[in-house]
Amino acid sequence: MRTKIVAGNWKLNNNKKESKQLIKDLKESIKKLKLKDTRVIVAPTFVNLSSSVKEAKKSKIEVVAQNMHQAKNGAFTGEISADMLKAIGVETVILGHSERRTYFNETDAALAEKVDAILENKMETIFCFGELLEDRKSENHFKVVESQLSNALFHLKGEDFKSIILAYEPVWAIGTGETASPEQAQEMHAFIRSIIEKKYTKEVAEKVSILYGGSVKPANAEEIFSKPDVDGGLIGGAALKVADFTAIIKAI
Ligand code: 13P
């Protein structure tokens, strides 16, 4: 059985007060759900991580970071390290989001180093990847996804790879209201599992949770989550509203 995960990526939203309030409201609203093994994750901005960790204490909600730098320390103005995150109680980091790749020139090579830094600190990665619209139109989407995974992750040993959470986010579906159809998501997730099996083993491929991200809403979550290779979602806009995020968690 793979772990089911619903994660909210808050991006550049919510100040300290709003972050704490959203976590408080979410704690209350998920109480009624019988979640058992499902993980519920939120990713506030860096400055609000500490207060969010405190607010989420003794609840089911896990607070994770949206990014970090690969170096331990040094002359990297404006950056933050894995060790610094760990010291404030953050154990998991989202890496490789398409907005980081597009607006901040994040490369596969840098991501490979970031993943290594996470592992060195015995932390966990939520690794994002996905094709652009032109890749899908030119039917290169499988090739693009395979190269993103192999460039950033396939240097890992099987044991380490198992600890990575994958988040397939087709760029054309992020914030656009256009969701990949449940069939498109399943097709890609099954492909991802097949290349993991080819590189590692069936056991590793079966163990890794693969989330779908891109315009997941209460109205489409259940159908997407019903697909056998979809183990949850990475949610943007709908994670900012407690009712919507709760409805999506309920759909898992
Ligand atoms: P939306 O759910 O707003 O499309 O964002 C998805 C996303 O980028 C999550 O990381």
Side-chain angles (χ1 to χ4, degrees):
M1 257 286 269
R2 283 188 291 275
T3 312
K4 302 269 184 203
I5 301 165
V6 182
N9 175 9
W10 291 358
K11 308 188 181 184
L12 183 50
N13 292 292
N14 293 331
N15 63 23
K16 181 175 176 181
K17 196 167 157 213
E18 291 159 344
S19 301
K20 285 176 72 173
Q21 190 62 48
L22 186 45
I23 292 174
K24 207 173 187 172
D25 293 345
L26 190 60
K27 274 198 288 196
E28 207 40 51
S29 76
I30 62 171
K31 256 189 202 155
K32 297 159 220 136
L33 310 180
K34 290 193 191 73
L35 289 172
K36 278 201 215 143
D37 301 328
T38 302
R39 290 175 65 183
V40 176
I41 290 173
V42 297
T45 56
F46 282 143
V47 285
N48 296 316
L49 284 171
S50 261
S51 53
S52 297
V53 166
K54 275 190 205 117
E55 187 64 51
K57 248 202 183 112
K58 293 203 187 104
S59 81
K60 217 184 143 55
I61 302 166
E62 297 171 49
V63 174
V64 314
Q66 299 176 15
N67 180 37
M68 54 150 239
H69 194 272
Q70 57 271 41
K72 271 197 189 87
N73 44 45
F76 300 103
T77 302
E79 292 294 337
I80 217 157
S81 71
D83 169 67
M84 290 170 188
L85 291 170
K86 194 163 182 163
I88 57 162
V90 172
E91 299 282 343
T92 304
V93 184
I94 296 173
L95 293 178
H97 192 280
S98 73
E99 286 144 22
R100 301 282 331 156
R101 294 176 190 256
T102 306
Y103 306 131
F104 304 96
N105 305 317
E106 194 128 306
T107 61
D108 288 343
L111 287 167
E113 289 178 16
K114 290 188 181 199
V115 170
D116 290 344
I118 291 263
L119 286 164
E120 258 170 55
N121 283 277
K122 300 201 172 17
M123 292 166 69
E124 181 184 54
T125 300
I126 300 176
F127 183 81
C128 304
F129 57 99
E131 81 281 3
L132 303 172
L133 183 58
E134 61 248 42
D135 301 323
R136 187 155 278 261
K137 280 192 175 153
S138 59
E139 296 184 2
N140 272 324
H141 45 300
F142 292 118
K143 224 187 267 167
V144 167
V145 160
E146 184 162 11
S147 83
Q148 287 172 326
L149 290 175
S150 91
N151 291 345
L153 299 179
F154 280 2
H155 64 288
L156 299 177
K157 290 194 257 104
E159 267 318 295
D160 289 335
F161 192 90
K162 271 198 230 170
S163 75
I164 310 275
I165 298 164
L166 297 177
Y168 168 60
E169 299 204 302
V171 179
W172 47 271
I174 296 178
T176 59
E178 189 177 341
T179 325
S181 70
E183 291 71 32
Q184 283 173 319
Q186 169 56 27
E187 183 187 36
M188 182 57 91
H189 285 219
F191 170 74
I192 293 162
R193 231 178 271 293
S194 76
I195 55 175
I196 299 171
E197 183 174 340
K198 213 164 35 167
K199 166 74 189 167
Y200 297 100
T201 60
K202 193 171 175 63
E203 192 233 334
V204 174
E206 287 300 323
K207 179 90 207 315
V208 172
S209 293
I210 310 177
L211 316 184
Y212 168 80
S215 297
V216 177
K217 308 275 179 245
N220 59 25
E222 197 168 335
E223 216 188 334
I224 296 172
F225 294 163
S226 72
K227 294 295 174 192
D229 285 295
V230 177
D231 305 308
L234 184 54
I235 322 298
L240 300 173
K241 296 193 196 94
V242 73
D244 286 357
F245 195 50
T246 306
I248 294 169
I249 297 165
K250 209 170 162 183
I252 194 103

